[in-house]
Amino acid sequence: MTNNLFTSYSIITYGCQMNINDSERIAGFFDEKGLKEAPAEKSDIVVINSCSIRQSAVDRIEGKIRKLRKIKNKPLIIVTGCLLEKDRKKLSPLADHVLPITLVSSWPLPFLKKENIPFFNLSLKRSGPTAYVSIMTGCNNFCSYCVVPYTKGREFSRPATEVIKEVKEAIKKGYREVWLLGQNVNSYNGGVDFSKLLKEINKIHGNFWLRFTTSHPKDFSDNIIFTIKDCKKVTNYLHLPVQSGDNAILEKMNRPYTAQDYRETVKRVRREIPDIALSTDIIVGFPGETEKKFRNTATLFSEIQFDMAYIARYSSRSQTAASEMEETVSEEEKRRREKILVEILKESSLEKNKPYKGKKLRVLVTKESKKKGFLFGKTEGYKTVLFEGSKELIGKFIKAEITDYSSWGLKGKISRK
Ligand code: 5AD
Ligand code: SF4
């Protein structure tokens, strides 16, 4: 099947879980063509699956290509993934090819014969103990800071039948965690709505957790809250990006809800599911974010008491509406604001982790720790647990007794019962 020019490949993935999942399809496809996965230094082809959500992500790709150029083997370097036109042009002279990811089956490589296979029809080669299942691509929300509608295009939902088939296959293979992915899963429309999709997957026979990201506060209905509550396999964990706690900034971000709406949504969620773990995304230093406006974010942030948060410094991206707005917050000030939120998060996550001490929890073992003989796992609320155990346990559920906690996670020991 293969050719003597290319026998091995390596994929370097940046960015979110969707990119991880997309890389798993490229790997599946290349394997089918007879190539072998290998470390970058020993590969004939290196594919960089990129992310351009912030400028720093693009800079990192540039640095990576320069490094790869120094490899003795001189691999063919292909850049693909989530890129703006401008970044594609910038990376073109550095890479051998810059190619669209969804057209991988017709990339101009000698061992491919331009088959035009739809991306989601390519088989997957999963890279970890979580079965990621993309249920939709693209985004129609056009948050003013965000590149996704430009890099990934408009929203497209995969048919529910196709999604359910993929989930069933994963369960049959023994995966204990299914993670549904989309930029805005609450607006899923693949023949059924998102709640119905969760209910259908929840009915599939087997012992597994069902997670999903990302939810948008504007679409977070009672229907979905009750679905999470009622479906046993759907985990008590919710990632609900707030982005800002200031109404004027939310409006400029084109996020159609207020800080009060967000607070009420969280209240409704916690009333129905009291032990739900809640995480969020926040951007600091958006154009026009004065000290007072930032304080509104900090107040909401400490009030809600998140279990986890991803705090980002605003990065202007070309093509987006916000790139036309004048930047008013210096990099230094962005860092200061970021630090303030990190301190608040440290306190809230510590408080949230505290009650787990002494409890016995179900944990999905995810990977080896750098500490010899130790493993990492995740609880239902997506908290990291460090414990002693052998690597054969990866991908399995265990019971762990929690012996200690910190802001960033839990420590435990395997419990027989
Ligand atoms: N600058 C900073 N953070 C951003 N995000 C998206 N675009 C930008 C940007 N231009 C963050 C948002 C989003 C997460 C995936 O990345 O918080 O939820
Ligand atoms: Fe970007 Fe907003 Fe769409 Fe999320 S919802 S991908 S932040 S445009």
Side-chain angles (χ1 to χ4, degrees), residues 15-35:
C16 62
Q17 292 151 315
M18 288 214 196
N19 272 16
I20 296 175
N21 190 227
D22 287 350
S23 290
E24 291 174 337
R25 276 193 205 277
I26 303 178
F29 179 63
F30 278 9
D31 274 19
E32 248 169 35
K33 296 289 158 202
L35 274 71

Side-chain angles (χ1 to χ4, degrees), residues 139 141-143 145-146 148-149 183-184 216 243 255:
C139 187
N141 288 321
F142 290 92
C143 300
Y145 50 80
C146 184
V148 170
Q183 302 294 350
N184 181 17
H216 194 305
Q243 311 296 4
R255 302 279 293 183

Side-chain angles (χ1 to χ4, degrees), residues 54 94 251 342 405:
R54 284 176 282 276
L94 301 174
E251 205 180 324
V342 168
Y405 65 95

Side-chain angles (χ1 to χ4, degrees), residues 53-54 145-147 241 243 281-283 310 312-317:
I53 201 94
R54 284 176 282 276
Y145 50 80
C146 184
V147 294
Q243 311 296 4
D281 290 347
I282 291 200
I283 298 174
Y310 304 90
R313 299 187 298 276
Y314 172 71
S315 163
S316 175
R317 311 300 293 118

